[in-house]
Amino acid sequence: MGRYHVQKNHEMIVAVFCELLKTKPNARLLLVGGSGKKEEIVRMISQAGITDKVIMLENRADVPALMKAMDVFLFPSKWEGFGNVLIEAQSIGVRCVVSDKVPESVRLTELVTVCDLREPLQVWVDAILNKKNHVTPTGSLNDYDMKNCAKKLQKIYLEEE
């Protein structure tokens, strides 16, 4: 759903997935994106011996359909300015396990569980397996609905000073 960049922390995604496989050997990891450190991530997956458990797709336009196929959206970013993809995942109804570096402003539903990047991998695995919600929403998905945003912009542009 993006690029293979240090910010997105694919190394942690692979490490958490390897730990998850100890409990759920039939799990699959779906990675979508292009450019950046892709070859490095492919090498890491190969070295971990999990190539047959990982599906890697290039950038695509059918992200909502892919998200609907997910049980959990793992988002361990090292930093995020906003995190549009997290809003997309929540709007589709996918449980999300995210890093503490993802802004609170996009933790809009009880589908989000936040983990500290410094926590052991097992904490992340437990969050993936645990369907309890751990975050109090900070806003509403309606705030990001295209129609509502268009109305707000229209009001701004049409307001007289």
Side-chain angles (χ1 to χ4, degrees):
M1 319 278 164
R3 62 197 193 287
Y4 294 96
H5 185 272
V6 66
Q7 169 192 8
K8 302 303 180 182
N9 206 1
H10 285 84
E11 296 85 358
M12 182 154 189
I13 292 172
V14 172
V16 168
F17 183 67
C18 286
E19 190 70 22
L20 174 68
L21 286 172
K22 295 175 185 176
T23 307
K24 293 283 186 185
N26 62 339
R28 296 292 180 266
L29 176 62
L30 174 62
L31 298 174
V32 182
S35 71
K37 299 172 33 169
K38 183 175 181 180
E39 291 77 27
E40 185 179 324
I41 303 307
V42 169
R43 197 168 28 258
M44 177 185 274
I45 289 166
S46 178
Q47 288 173 349
I50 59 170
T51 305
D52 62 326
K53 306 248 182 219
V54 179
I55 302 162
M56 294 185 80
L57 303 175
E58 295 296 321
N59 283 328
R60 16 189 332 135
D62 61 346
V63 172
L66 293 173
M67 284 186 166
K68 286 179 184 177
M70 295 177 184
D71 294 317
V72 176
F73 178 69
L74 181 60
F75 195 48
S77 290
K78 293 181 179 182
W79 70 88
E80 283 294 330
F82 188 67
N84 287 326
V85 70
L86 183 58
I87 294 173
E88 292 172 0
Q90 291 172 89
S91 69
I92 289 169
V94 178
R95 284 191 318 106
C96 305
V97 177
V98 306
S99 78
D100 57 328
K101 305 303 180 195
V102 174
E104 285 185 28
S105 60
V106 290
R107 301 176 195 170
L108 302 173
T109 69
E110 292 181 350
L111 293 169
V112 179
T113 300
V114 179
C115 294
D116 190 311
L117 284 174
R118 298 168 294 188
E119 292 287 345
L121 296 176
Q122 189 59 49
V123 170
W124 286 77
V125 169
D126 291 345
I128 290 168
L129 296 174
N130 183 355
K131 295 187 180 190
K132 292 183 182 175
N133 304 316
H134 298 281
V135 78
T136 302
T138 59
S140 169
L141 285 173
N142 286 334
D143 295 339
Y144 299 96
D145 179 85
M146 188 180 298
K147 290 178 185 174
N148 293 339
C149 289
K151 286 178 187 176
K152 287 178 188 176
L153 284 173
Q154 184 178 26
K155 183 179 178 185
I156 290 169
Y157 284 110
L158 296 177
E159 260 184 19
E160 292 186 42
E161 294 183 29

